Amino acid sequence: MKNKTNQIILIYLVISLFLAILCHKLLLYTFNDNQYHYYSFVKDLFFIISIAFLFKYILAKNEERNQDNFDELKKINEEINESNEKYDIVSKATSDTIWDWKIQENCISWNQGIENIFGYRPGEAGTTSEWWFNNIHPEDSIKMSVKLYSFLEQKTEKWQDQYRFKCADGTYKYVLDRGFLLTDTGGKAARMIGAIQDISKQKEEEQRLRLLETVITESRDSVIITRASSEDHAFPVIVYANPAFTMMSGYTSEDLIGKSPIIFKGPKSDISELKKLVNAIKNKEESFIETISYKKNREEYWVRLSMIPIYNSENVLSHWVSIQRDITEEKKSGKEKEHLIRELTQNNKDLKQFSYITSHNLRAPLSNLTGLLRLIDDIKIEDEELEELLNGFNKSTQLLNETINDLVKVIVIKDNPSIQKERLVLSEVFEKVFSQLNFQIESNNPILKLKFDPEFTLHTNKAYLESILLNLLLNAIKYKEHSRKLKITITAEFSEGRTKLTFKDNGIGIDLERNKDKVFGLYQRFHNYPDSKGLGLYLVKSQVDTMGGTISIKSEVNKGTEFTILF
């Protein structure tokens, strides 16, 4: 700059001297007064040199001022560059979406976050505030825009709001938007720079926590939360108790916060259960106990509680959650139930003993009666009344004998739940059953249909299976409809690992609407038949149950009955 100033002064001197000399020559040529012209030339020369020094001083000062301005501009430029570099670094380093809104020009720019977070590729994101507002969820847009423009009117520096912003795929994300306002020299809003942070996960977590809080506060079970650490390292102090616990114990939250759960302990509390709980807390393990606890008024009640450890994100134990339930009534009913079970067990033993004694004591007299009746059969009786009386007596004796035999079978089944099983050919079992019922089959001449493979086999107890088939076939014959030909259909099949036997007849049927729950009961009669004992179906059900099977019935009055057995 100094060289340039000197150049300007030098040029000025050369031009000024040239003009002064030229003017002096012209004056000499025009006028003859040499002395006067010499004096004028010297004066001009002095004036030119003085002006030159003045110019130099002025230019020097101006040069210094320009240099100061230049240095200041250079410093400002460096600061701007440094600020821009920091802005670029922050924009790249942050996971937020940075936006820059020039309010007067309504021009907005976005950093890489608009693509990374919301999926908008370069060129898809709008450059005006309208695009920004249009992508805010309709339920949030009006509220957000009102708050933003109110903020701009108030001209405060910092602004933030939460809303939902649309992604490129049409879904919405919850965001936290923070902005910083810049104003011009007149105090008018000129520029706004902000950062949008995706808080969708936080919102989901807030909603989840709010839901859990609602569950805890509205739960009928009592919930207590305690800190993980305590001074005595035994029972941590309580930090929360839900309303259900207040209802159960009478203690309010103010009574419990900061206290140890040991206040619930009393004279009748189970010490072994409490030790179990203390050991679980020391070992940081989940625990379940039942003990007597005490209400605020020191009233006793039974409580079933669990103690569950809660770990934070660093996998460090932070709290314990105890879920408690008042089981006083359950304990009372449990004791009553135990007492009832003991009574029923004893009654069952007594009845079983009575059955043994009865069946044993009756078998000998019955055998004697049966033998006497057989002897009488060989004697010719001429008195018709006596013969009829003896026939009735003989029939009653046979029925009593059959009843006692059935009772003995039932007792044997109930007394021996485990049975021996073997592989049986079903057709061979039926042959034996038919031979035993040969007289009844010939007398009634039913239509028998056996729908199964002659080689069909099943693995079960032979004696029980024969007894089941015998009873069902006898029932079908005994309770036939006399106005039509008796038809009995028996099917057997194997599917899905189970054997299915079906017995179907067209007999008189059973009214299941009235007797469905009684069909397989002991001594249940559904028809007024003199030789009906009410033991057959009970015996069948007992034998099927013992073999691990199930039996069901379908029946309609005057249409028939169908039994289905699954092994």
Side-chain angles (χ1 to χ4, degrees):
M1 293 295 288
K2 286 184 178 181
N3 292 334
K4 191 172 183 181
T5 300
N6 292 333
Q7 288 176 1
I8 293 172
I9 298 299
L10 184 60
I11 293 170
Y12 165 73
L13 287 172
V14 171
I15 295 173
S16 298
L17 290 173
F18 174 76
L19 291 174
I21 292 170
L22 181 62
C23 290
H24 178 68
K25 290 292 184 182
L26 289 172
L27 288 172
L28 286 175
Y29 179 76
T30 308
F31 303 99
N32 293 323
D33 190 354
N34 292 331
Q35 186 178 358
Y36 172 78
H37 292 299
Y38 177 76
Y39 172 78
S40 178
F41 175 72
V42 172
K43 183 183 67 172
D44 292 339
L45 187 61
F46 176 78
F47 179 77
I48 289 171
I49 294 173
S50 298
I51 293 299
F53 278 109
L54 180 61
F55 276 174
K56 183 176 182 181
Y57 174 78
I58 292 172
L59 290 174
K61 287 293 182 181
N62 188 55
E63 184 181 349
E64 289 177 4
R65 194 181 301 110
N66 289 339
Q67 185 64 41
D68 291 340
N69 291 336
F70 177 77
D71 292 340
E72 186 177 353
L73 288 172
K74 184 178 180 182
K75 183 179 179 181
I76 292 172
N77 190 49
E78 289 174 352
E79 290 176 352
I80 291 172
N81 290 334
E82 183 180 359
S83 177
N84 288 335
E85 288 177 1
K86 289 180 180 179
Y87 175 80
D88 292 337
I89 292 171
V90 170
S91 297
K92 292 176 182 177
T94 184
S95 59
D96 297 346
T97 301
I98 308 297
W99 50 269
D100 188 350
W101 181 24
K102 296 177 181 177
I103 299 172
Q104 303 300 327
E105 295 86 357
N106 192 22
C107 178
I108 191 167
S109 60
W110 309 87
N111 78 332
Q112 185 65 27
I114 197 70
E115 180 179 0
N116 298 338
I117 298 176
F118 302 104
Y120 291 102
R121 293 192 295 271
E124 291 183 346
T127 58
T128 64
S129 59
E130 284 77 10
W131 182 86
W132 177 22
F133 295 146
N134 289 337
N135 280 282
I136 296 172
H137 195 282
E139 294 178 5
D140 302 333
S141 179
I142 296 176
K143 179 190 70 173
M144 181 269 185
S145 58
V146 168
K147 288 177 69 174
L148 178 60
Y149 282 108
S150 175
F151 160 78
L152 292 176
E153 288 294 327
Q154 294 172 4
K155 299 175 184 177
T156 51
E157 286 188 347
K158 296 180 181 178
W159 162 86
Q160 74 173 33
D161 196 9
Q162 293 183 15
Y163 54 86
R164 284 165 287 181
F165 193 76
K166 185 190 287 186
C167 300
D169 59 3
T171 60
Y172 286 89
K173 286 185 176 181
Y174 275 96
V175 299
L176 172 62
D177 200 348
R178 296 187 181 95
F180 185 82
L181 182 65
L182 301 174
T183 57
D184 56 18
T185 54
K188 192 174 181 180
R191 187 179 179 187
M192 193 171 177
I193 298 173
I196 298 177
Q197 181 182 1
D198 181 7
I199 58 169
S200 299
K201 290 184 178 179
Q202 293 93 312
K203 277 289 182 181
E204 291 175 4
E205 186 66 16
E206 285 177 11
Q207 292 175 355
R208 188 180 72 86
L209 290 174
R210 196 175 294 114
L211 178 62
L212 289 175
E213 183 181 359
T214 303
V215 170
I216 291 173
T217 55
E218 299 298 327
S219 173
R220 294 184 178 180
D221 287 338
S222 301
V223 178
I224 289 180
I225 301 176
T226 64
R227 283 203 304 265
S229 59
S230 63
E231 294 179 359
D232 57 6
H233 301 284
F235 284 95
V237 296
I238 298 170
V239 296
Y240 174 80
N242 74 336
F245 187 81
T246 300
M247 293 289 294
M248 182 178 76
S249 67
Y251 287 100
T252 63
S253 295
E254 292 75 16
D255 297 329
L256 296 173
I257 302 301
K259 304 288 181 61
S260 170
I262 201 71
I263 63 174
F264 310 130
K265 178 178 174 292
K268 293 186 180 179
S269 297
D270 192 328
I271 302 300
S272 61
E273 289 287 278
L274 294 179
K275 285 182 178 179
K276 175 182 171 184
L277 181 62
V278 172
N279 290 332
I281 292 173
K282 287 181 179 179
N283 297 327
K284 300 179 181 180
E285 297 173 344
E286 189 173 354
S287 178
F288 298 90
I289 69 166
E290 290 182 3
T291 185
I292 291 177
S293 187
Y294 288 81
K295 299 182 180 181
K296 187 176 181 180
N297 60 6
R298 304 315 292 169
E299 180 185 343
E300 297 176 6
Y301 69 100
W302 274 94
V303 64
R304 178 185 294 132
L305 68 87
S306 61
M307 202 74 169
I308 304 167
I310 304 297
Y311 293 86
N312 60 19
S313 57
E314 285 79 28
N315 202 29
V316 176
L317 182 65
S318 62
H319 293 85
W320 290 91
V321 173
S322 176
I323 301 173
Q324 305 184 10
R325 178 174 292 181
D326 186 345
I327 58 169
T328 305
E329 293 301 321
E330 183 181 326
K331 282 289 182 180
K332 288 180 180 177
S333 62
K335 289 180 180 179
E336 293 173 358
K337 193 180 294 182
E338 287 176 8
H339 180 68
L340 184 60
I341 289 171
R342 282 196 296 270
E343 285 187 350
L344 288 173
T345 303
Q346 186 60 44
N347 290 340
N348 190 43
K349 288 180 180 178
D350 294 342
L351 286 171
K352 191 180 292 185
Q353 189 67 21
F354 174 77
S355 300
Y356 277 123
I357 293 170
T358 303
S359 60
H360 181 270
N361 291 342
L362 285 176
R363 287 180 83 81
L366 273 173
S367 298
N368 293 333
L369 282 172
T370 304
L372 288 172
L373 289 170
R374 285 175 182 171
L375 289 174
I376 293 173
D377 285 342
D378 296 334
I379 300 172
K380 185 177 180 182
I381 299 174
E382 296 179 356
D383 190 339
E384 293 181 359
E385 290 184 4
L386 180 60
E387 185 178 7
E388 185 179 351
L389 182 65
L390 288 172
N391 287 336
F393 185 66
N394 188 16
K395 190 173 182 181
S396 297
T397 303
Q398 289 177 358
L399 285 173
L400 180 60
N401 191 41
E402 290 174 3
T403 301
I404 290 175
N405 287 335
D406 288 340
L407 281 172
V408 170
K409 288 179 183 178
V410 171
I411 293 170
V412 170
I413 292 170
K414 298 298 182 183
D415 236 12
N416 300 283
S418 59
I419 57 170
Q420 290 184 347
K421 296 182 179 181
E422 58 184 300
R423 181 63 60 183
L424 302 173
V425 179
L426 189 60
S427 58
E428 294 177 0
V429 178
F430 267 108
E431 285 179 11
K432 186 174 180 180
V433 171
F434 288 154
S435 67
Q436 294 180 51
L437 298 176
N438 184 53
F439 176 76
Q440 289 88 339
I441 292 173
E442 287 184 356
S443 301
N444 294 277
N445 194 25
I447 299 173
L448 285 170
K449 291 184 180 181
L450 303 181
K451 296 183 178 181
F452 54 84
D453 191 293
E455 301 300 321
F456 187 87
T457 62
L458 65 165
H459 187 258
T460 189
N461 182 269
K462 184 178 181 181
Y464 282 4
L465 182 62
E466 289 177 357
S467 175
I468 291 167
L469 299 177
L470 189 68
N471 274 291
L472 292 178
L473 285 169
L474 270 175
N475 276 357
I477 293 171
K478 187 186 295 184
Y479 301 110
K480 69 176 183 178
E481 172 59 56
H482 295 284
S483 62
R484 56 176 174 263
K485 184 78 170 176
L486 175 61
K487 294 181 182 179
I488 302 174
T489 304
I490 304 170
T491 61
E493 59 182 343
F494 185 82
S495 72
E496 298 181 0
R498 307 186 78 182
T499 299
K500 180 180 179 182
L501 298 180
T502 306
F503 295 78
K504 187 175 182 180
D505 64 54
N506 64 341
I508 59 177
I510 300 173
D511 186 355
L512 291 183
E513 288 186 7
R514 294 176 58 188
N515 304 300
K516 187 173 184 179
D517 297 331
K518 304 176 184 177
V519 171
F520 299 106
L522 186 61
Y523 297 124
Q524 297 296 326
R525 297 184 177 94
F526 312 109
H527 306 290
N528 235 351
Y529 279 50
D531 58 347
S532 177
K533 302 188 294 292
L535 274 171
L537 291 181
Y538 177 78
L539 186 63
V540 168
K541 178 73 163 58
S542 300
Q543 290 169 328
V544 170
D545 289 345
T546 303
M547 291 191 291
T550 59
I551 184 169
S552 59
I553 182 173
K554 294 179 183 178
S555 186
E556 289 187 52
V557 177
N558 295 325
K559 289 189 177 181
T561 303
E562 179 179 335
F563 291 96
T564 301
I565 302 174
L566 292 173
F567 292 118

